[in-house]
């Protein structure tokens, strides 16, 4: 059985990988994150504290556990924070990948790296893996730089790009669009939602499955992983409201320009999933099925 080490195991994807490994036992797991373990179940896998900005600690932990593969989920993931703090974003999203690559190369460890639809400018979505990247934000730029590092390395690498991940986990450090919209509409708080950005939202469980498939199959190359339904952000929020029978009169559709966010967002992303479906056996849920899974976990 292969052993995998996850970085950022306290995050949404990190926790879903732990949950899947504990439920299915297909791989051995060493979960690592900054600080204490926030996943509620502590048995059935190893946990080690590992700050990806601390190269010595990263080396010590990897040398101790000698994993077959690393799934690198840790990152600065808030797009506006990345724009406002480019230096720290570069350290987390680019320099930390350099550290991991040098150790993976030395020890012949597969690196599965998480990237984003924000590597594209959003002019021509949905995108194939080989389409030209052209980020419109520093977050997207930092992920392009990290992808380039993998492509130039001698490591056995896979890049998994994903889109607008939703799900629920323990003690989350940040929310996601589905939980945010549901929470606000339940409290009858007015929300502004953009109607001129299109995405393919991804159930966190589907993304975790794709990451494990990439390790099991020792995948190499870029894979586009998202849900299969394409919608505007406003339609997404309406589907959430419909699913939980919430009053939509508090939902106000606006344009991206009027939102005035720090970082620019691509207009129309979305992925063509054929490669992941054919090569990895990836089989995503529909958005409605994803909401039903989430409801069962609340
Ligand atoms: N979520 C999305 O919509 C989305 C879309 C496209 C791509 N992605 C990519 O997918 C990956 C996983 O995303 P996610 O949704 O699971 O993100 P997340 O919930 O924000 O998790 C990221 C985790 O990284 C941890 N982290 C931050 N700095 C660290 C450090 N110095 N050392 C170790 N861990 C550190 C965070 O710890 P704390 O919890 O303690 O802050 C957090 O738990 C990321 O690479 C992201 O860029 C996500």
């Amino acid at each position: 059985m292969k052993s995998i080490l996850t970085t950022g195991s306290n995050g949404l994807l990190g926790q879903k990988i732990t949950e899947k490994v504990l439920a299915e036992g297909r791989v051995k797991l060493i979960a690592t994150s900054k600080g204490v373990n926030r996943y509620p179940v502590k048995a059935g896998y190893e946990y080690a504290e590992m700050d990806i900005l601390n190269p010595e600690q990263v080396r010590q932990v990897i040398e101790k556990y000698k994993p077959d593969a690393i799934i690198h989920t840790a990152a600065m993931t808030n797009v506006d924070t990345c724009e406002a703090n480019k230096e720290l974003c570069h350290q987390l999203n680019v320099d930390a990948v350099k550290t991991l690559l040098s150790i993976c190369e030395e020890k012949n460890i597969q690196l599965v790296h998480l990237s984003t639809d924000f590597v594209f400018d959003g002019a021509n979505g949905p995108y194939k893996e080989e389409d030209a990247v052209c980020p419109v934000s520093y977050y997207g730029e930092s992920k392009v730089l990290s992808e380039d590092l993998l492509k130039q390395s001698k490591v056995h690498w896979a890049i998994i790009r994903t889109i607008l991940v939703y799900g629920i986990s323990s003690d989350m450090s940040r929310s996601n669009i589905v939980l945010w919209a549901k929470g606000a509409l339940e409290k009858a708080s007015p929300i502004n939602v953009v109607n001129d950005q299109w995405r393919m939202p991804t159930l966190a469980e589907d993304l975790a499955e794709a990451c494990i498939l990439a390790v099991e199959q020792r995948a190499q190359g870029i894979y586009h992983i998202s849900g299969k339904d394409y919608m505007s952000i406003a339609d997404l929020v309406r589907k959430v409201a419909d699913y939980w029978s919430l009053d939509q009169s508090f939902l106000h559709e606006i344009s991206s320009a009027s939102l005035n966010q720090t970082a620019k967002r691509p207009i129309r992303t979305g992925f063509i999933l054929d490669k992941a479906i054919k090569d990895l056996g990836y089989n995503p849920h529909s958005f409605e099925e994803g909401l039903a899974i989430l409801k069962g976990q609340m």
Side-chain angles (χ1 to χ4, degrees):
M1 194 189 285
K2 285 192 176 176
S3 61
I4 58 171
L5 183 148
T6 52
T7 68
S9 66
N10 282 328
L12 178 57
L13 172 60
Q15 292 203 29
K16 292 299 175 186
I17 294 173
T18 305
E19 189 176 286
K20 200 169 232 317
V21 170
L22 292 181
E24 298 173 6
R26 286 150 58 187
V27 291
K28 281 193 211 149
L29 174 69
I30 306 104
T32 78
S33 211
K34 201 175 67 175
V36 296
N37 184 6
R38 302 207 299 272
Y39 190 73
V41 181
K42 314 287 183 205
Y45 64 102
E46 302 281 348
Y47 178 82
E49 187 175 336
M50 190 173 98
D51 180 340
I52 58 162
L53 290 183
N54 181 340
E56 260 321 295
Q57 190 181 37
V58 171
R59 177 170 284 279
Q60 277 166 15
V61 171
I62 297 174
E63 283 182 347
K64 177 172 177 194
Y65 292 101
K66 301 182 175 53
D68 297 305
I70 294 175
I71 302 177
H72 181 42
T73 86
M76 183 183 274
T77 53
N78 184 303
V79 180
D80 292 320
T81 310
C82 288
E83 204 68 29
N85 197 341
K86 296 191 173 77
E87 203 178 315
L88 186 57
C89 173
H90 193 280
Q91 286 169 13
L92 276 160
N93 291 3
V94 187
D95 296 341
V97 175
K98 231 180 256 177
T99 306
L100 288 173
L101 277 170
S102 75
I103 304 169
C104 287
E105 187 171 332
E106 210 179 285
K107 315 244 173 246
N108 192 22
I109 298 169
Q110 181 192 11
L111 184 61
V112 177
H113 176 55
L114 272 293
S115 186
T116 170
D117 56 332
F118 280 31
V119 297
F120 297 114
D121 62 11
N124 294 307
Y127 291 97
K128 304 191 287 292
E129 283 81 354
E130 54 277 20
D131 284 336
V133 298
C134 182
V136 296
S137 65
Y138 193 72
Y139 170 70
E141 171 78 33
S142 73
K143 290 288 186 175
V144 169
L145 292 171
S146 67
E147 289 191 0
D148 288 344
L149 290 173
L150 269 85
K151 290 179 198 162
Q152 289 152 15
S153 79
K154 296 192 191 79
V155 168
H156 191 100
W157 59 268
I159 291 167
I160 293 194
R161 294 187 184 136
T162 190
I163 308 178
L164 209 60
V165 184
Y166 66 95
I168 190 162
S169 62
S170 262
D171 204 355
M172 296 167 81
S173 52
R174 65 181 195 129
S175 189
N176 52 70
I177 181 93
V178 172
L179 297 183
W180 168 76
K182 178 176 179 289
L185 294 176
E186 273 171 351
K187 283 188 245 136
S189 307
I191 51 173
N192 292 329
V193 184
V194 293
N195 57 12
D196 57 0
Q197 290 180 31
W198 286 264
R199 301 287 182 262
M200 287 166 76
T202 309
L203 178 68
E205 278 79 358
D206 284 343
L207 179 58
E209 172 66 14
C211 291
I212 295 173
L213 285 171
V215 172
E216 286 177 328
Q217 298 174 23
R218 220 172 134 72
Q220 166 101 40
I222 303 176
Y223 293 88
H224 280 179
I225 297 293
S226 70
K228 56 187 172 190
D229 297 322
Y230 202 34
M231 61 195 82
S232 72
I233 307 265
D235 283 344
L236 185 164
V237 170
R238 291 203 184 280
K239 285 177 199 289
V240 171
D242 279 343
Y243 190 81
W244 275 281
S245 306
L246 301 168
D247 185 351
Q248 297 191 19
S249 62
F250 298 99
L251 189 168
H252 304 296
E253 294 197 19
I254 56 164
S255 69
S256 303
S258 63
L259 203 55
N260 216 3
Q261 288 171 301
T262 311
K264 204 173 160 195
R265 267 70 171 171
I267 294 293
R268 197 179 274 276
T269 69
F271 286 158
I272 292 164
L273 299 173
D274 296 356
K275 181 181 176 190
I277 291 169
K278 185 168 163 281
D279 293 0
L280 295 180
Y282 177 61
N283 182 19
H285 292 88
S286 68
F287 188 56
E288 190 142 343
E289 287 166 347
L291 295 182
I293 289 172
L294 187 58
K295 189 178 179 191
Q297 297 165 341
M298 283 173 159

